[in-house]
Amino acid sequence: AAAAAAAHEAVWSLSSDAGADYLPRLERLLVRAEAAGFTAVLLDMHAPACSANGEEHGAVSLEGSKGLLLASATARNLTLRATAAMASLLASRTRLAWRAVELLNEPGEAPSLYASYYEAAAAVVRQHAGVDVVLCSWTYQLEELAPIASRLGAWMDVHIYHHVARAAPELWASEFASDLRQMATAARASEGRLLVGEYTIALAGGDGEGGSFTDFELLQYARWQAAAFAAAGVAAMAYWNAFCELGESPWGYRRASSPLAAQDWCRWVYGFASGEGECPAAWAPRAPSPGELATTNDSSSGGSLGPG
């Protein structure tokens, strides 16, 4: 593990100036979010140096490892610097009512093993007034995470993915029962500071892509999840993309980031089924012009980024 960490440190040291490229882009995104009327933004440390989970979406895929962030002081320090940069950008966006940094996405180890890192990262974020701290876990880890979050005054974020084979509310209730109980307990313990940071309807149907569900059934399933999370005391929830293609494009990035994504959202969640109407124009994102991408002036961003 030490040798692997050293190798990944070398890779990250070569790209440690990446912030010069991505931070201006991130700032432009925040400017556009403010201009579009968004009131809350959560920036997620999705891929820390040397990975916190060893998954392909966590910086580097490490077979047989749950990430090497904790084994590498260099990786931890680099990730803390990136966290500080994220918090600094958010602190400058004072038109946002709620701004927060999620310290790690879907960490691979038990929450207690990250406690000292969370303390260091939370201290970095708290140097920037008005920016909250968020800790991520799966539902089965919420009980262990709750006291750490309480000690740090942090929000908790839980991600939920279930493969449901049939459009049957009683089946959904059974599938989600344990998660909802744990979420309700965590919501009470945290006085409501619990988010669902990712949920989806993509894993609906026999083929795992929603193929055996009609549009109306997918709409029912989307609304059922939102209502169930709210009943458990969740303060807010963030929807993952509907088209989770399990083949060559595991999370359907192209579809989710295209103008068609707005149509997807309207169809599945707001009830504009295929052939029954169009998504309101104000909800459909448009591609920014070169001039808009070249400036961070609020008044130049224009357009709507969606319903939020």
Side-chain angles (χ1 to χ4, degrees):
H8 290 295
E9 284 176 15
V11 173
W12 276 92
S13 67
L14 292 175
S15 59
S16 60
D17 62 345
D21 177 55
Y22 71 72
L23 287 177
R25 299 185 185 191
L26 183 55
E27 183 174 20
R28 288 196 292 270
L29 176 64
L30 293 175
V31 168
R32 288 179 62 81
E34 282 187 323
F38 282 69
T39 59
V41 170
L42 169 62
L43 295 183
D44 159 33
M45 177 55 72
H46 207 89
C50 293
S51 183
N53 52 34
E55 301 287 347
E56 72 282 353
H57 58 76
V60 59
S61 181
L62 300 169
E63 185 175 354
S65 170
K66 294 184 177 180
L68 297 171
L69 173 69
L70 297 180
S72 166
T74 300
R76 292 194 301 275
N77 290 334
L78 179 59
T79 303
L80 288 173
R81 291 202 301 273
T83 301
M86 293 160 65
S88 177
L89 283 181
L90 284 172
S92 68
R93 312 317 311 175
T94 56
R95 288 166 59 186
L96 296 171
W98 187 73
R99 297 157 287 170
V101 174
E102 183 164 289
L103 303 185
L104 293 174
N105 171 70
E106 299 177 3
E109 303 286 2
S112 59
L113 296 181
Y114 294 93
S116 61
Y117 177 80
Y118 285 154
E119 290 177 5
V124 164
V125 173
R126 293 274 159 69
Q127 293 176 15
H128 303 276
V131 182
D132 279 338
V133 171
V134 179
L135 307 182
C136 177
S137 80
W138 301 104
T139 52
Y140 68 87
Q141 295 175 322
L142 282 172
E143 183 177 1
E144 183 178 346
L145 182 67
I148 300 173
S150 176
R151 185 169 65 250
L152 296 177
W155 286 72
M156 291 184 289
D157 167 26
V158 64
H159 296 176
I160 298 182
Y161 291 95
H162 280 298
H163 187 165
V164 293
R166 293 182 293 108
E170 65 274 13
L171 173 65
W172 307 336
S174 174
E175 186 72 23
F176 282 79
S178 177
D179 300 279
L180 294 172
R181 284 195 299 271
Q182 293 172 88
M183 290 161 58
T185 299
R188 290 192 297 268
S190 65
E191 298 181 342
R193 288 188 296 182
L194 176 67
L195 313 171
V196 173
E198 292 181 17
Y199 75 103
T200 189
I201 59 173
L203 302 179
D207 61 1
E209 298 180 19
S212 62
F213 278 41
T214 67
D215 283 4
F216 179 70
E217 288 168 340
L218 283 171
L219 172 60
Q220 283 185 308
Y221 183 43
R223 289 177 170 171
W224 181 91
Q225 285 192 76
F229 299 155
V234 169
M237 58 205 77
Y239 175 72
W240 199 234
N241 55 301
F243 288 88
C244 177
E245 301 164 8
L246 302 182
E248 295 181 0
S249 302
W251 295 106
Y253 285 125
R254 288 186 179 179
R255 176 80 182 205
S257 60
S258 76
L260 292 175
Q263 295 289 342
D264 295 341
W265 182 257
C266 292
R267 290 177 63 202
W268 303 137
V269 179
Y270 289 97
F272 289 86
S274 179
E276 296 180 5
E278 293 297 323
C279 184
W283 291 358
R286 63 177 177 82
S289 69
E292 289 170 344
L293 290 176
T295 180
T296 58
N297 188 318
D298 284 5
S299 63
S300 70
S301 57
S304 172
L305 300 184

